[in-house]
Amino acid sequence: MEKTKIGKRFEGKVAIVTASTQGIGFSIAERLGLEGASVVVSSRKQVCLFVCLLLMLYKNVDEAVENLKAKGIEAIGIVCHVSNAQQRKNLIDKTVQKYGKIDVVVSNAAANPSVDVILETKESVLDKLWDINVKASILLLQDAAPHMKKGSSVVLISSVAGYQPHKSMAMYGVTKTALLGLTKALAAEMGPDTRVNCIAPGFVPTNFANFITSNDDLRKTIEDNTVLNRLGTTDDMAAATAFLACDDASYITGETLVVAGGMPSRL
């Protein structure tokens, strides 16, 4: 698909995108940066005490920043596991120290550590799903909100699975359903100065969704279940996010935009 020409809707803006060293998150950071934003990217992976893994995580972040800078994008990278309070604070503090403000926060980090049905899911897995997929967005915004002024914007990344959780990822889907309600609640709480919206991506071939999209039969079933007869792309999700985050959507808040090629997507 030929990429649409883009403008400069984020000139002078500062954007934080979590889980943004690859996949949908990286494409979002790239899109915002190409439209003029100074972008702060971070790794969603947990930092381990082993030095070799820690170095690998910094390498992931550094490579993402280098890729963005190679396209003329102003960017910095910060290692941050969103369920770690100190690392969340560090992400916000370093952004403000560098750029003096925060205009856009895109909360993209998510986990799906199990394919068990809900009633067989271990409590530790339930806790991880809740902590990363829901609670982390709230806690991150608690840190970020004091630095977000009039005209700022938040975009939460949910999923089409939030509308109809699939049995192999049911509890993940439930956490994504929670983000639909969180979007409404935060929009009321953070308005009128900050708008809060959400996108619900369909199935996109990324490392995160590889166990689904790499299965030819399942992929064909998903494609047949869309009106457009294809899977989504990371660029599709980035374009939708950029629209909701920019001033073109200045009269939109508390809404979820389903970006799933026409898949069934209503509660």
Side-chain angles (χ1 to χ4, degrees):
M1 293 178 60
E2 186 178 346
K3 287 190 177 181
T4 304
K5 291 182 180 180
I6 60 175
K8 291 290 184 180
R9 296 178 295 185
F10 294 94
E11 200 76 58
K13 300 289 182 71
V14 177
I16 293 175
V17 186
T18 63
S20 50
T21 58
Q22 60 182 347
I24 291 173
F26 180 80
S27 286
I28 291 171
E30 180 184 48
R31 178 63 184 252
L32 299 181
L34 289 173
E35 292 210 41
S38 297
V39 180
V40 181
V41 298
S42 66
S43 171
R44 69 184 180 182
K45 296 179 183 178
Q46 185 164 5
V47 175
C48 175
L49 292 178
F50 294 106
V51 173
C52 60
L53 181 55
L54 181 58
L55 291 175
M56 186 184 301
L57 290 173
Y58 276 107
K59 185 171 182 287
N60 288 345
V61 171
D62 289 344
E63 285 183 352
V65 171
E66 287 172 8
N67 288 335
L68 293 173
K69 286 186 173 181
K71 297 184 178 183
I73 296 169
E74 166 61 31
I76 61 171
I78 301 168
V79 173
C80 176
H81 189 298
V82 294
S83 67
N84 182 299
Q86 184 55 49
Q87 290 180 23
R88 285 193 309 270
K89 185 176 185 300
N90 184 56
L91 176 63
I92 300 303
D93 288 348
K94 285 191 173 179
T95 299
V96 174
Q97 287 168 12
K98 174 70 174 178
Y99 297 115
K101 62 174 182 173
I102 300 169
D103 297 294
V104 178
V105 174
V106 180
S107 185
N108 175 58
N112 185 27
S114 171
V115 294
D116 292 333
V117 297
I118 291 174
L119 295 182
E120 294 178 6
T121 302
K122 295 180 181 179
E123 183 175 0
S124 60
V125 174
L126 293 172
D127 288 342
K128 182 174 183 178
L129 281 162
W130 173 257
D131 284 349
I132 295 176
N133 295 3
V134 182
K135 191 169 77 171
S137 290
I138 299 169
L139 296 175
L140 179 69
L141 289 172
Q142 286 181 358
D143 290 336
H147 307 285
M148 302 182 75
K149 306 304 181 184
K150 186 174 181 61
S152 57
S153 179
V154 173
V155 181
L156 306 181
I157 309 300
S158 179
S159 169
V160 71
Y163 289 91
Q164 190 63 50
H166 189 273
K167 64 179 180 181
S168 66
M169 50 195 297
M171 197 59 216
Y172 168 84
V174 170
T175 63
K176 292 300 187 175
T177 307
L179 292 183
L180 309 183
L182 181 61
T183 298
K184 294 284 188 186
L186 286 176
E189 185 170 324
M190 299 182 75
D193 290 344
T194 301
R195 295 182 300 105
V196 182
N197 290 293
C198 179
I199 71 163
F203 290 91
V204 180
T206 63
N207 289 340
F208 186 85
N210 186 58
F211 76 102
I212 293 176
T213 57
S214 63
N215 181 307
D216 290 341
D217 291 337
L218 186 52
R219 181 181 179 126
K220 180 67 165 56
T221 298
I222 295 170
E223 289 173 343
D224 289 345
N225 198 33
T226 70
V227 175
L228 299 181
N229 296 126
R230 69 172 178 87
L231 299 185
T233 68
T234 59
D235 286 340
D236 291 329
M237 307 309 140
T241 302
F243 166 67
L244 286 177
C246 82
D247 290 342
D248 285 346
S250 63
Y251 201 53
I252 302 174
T253 194
E255 301 294 344
T256 297
L257 176 59
V258 179
V259 191
M263 287 186 71
S265 57
R266 289 292 174 262
L267 288 171

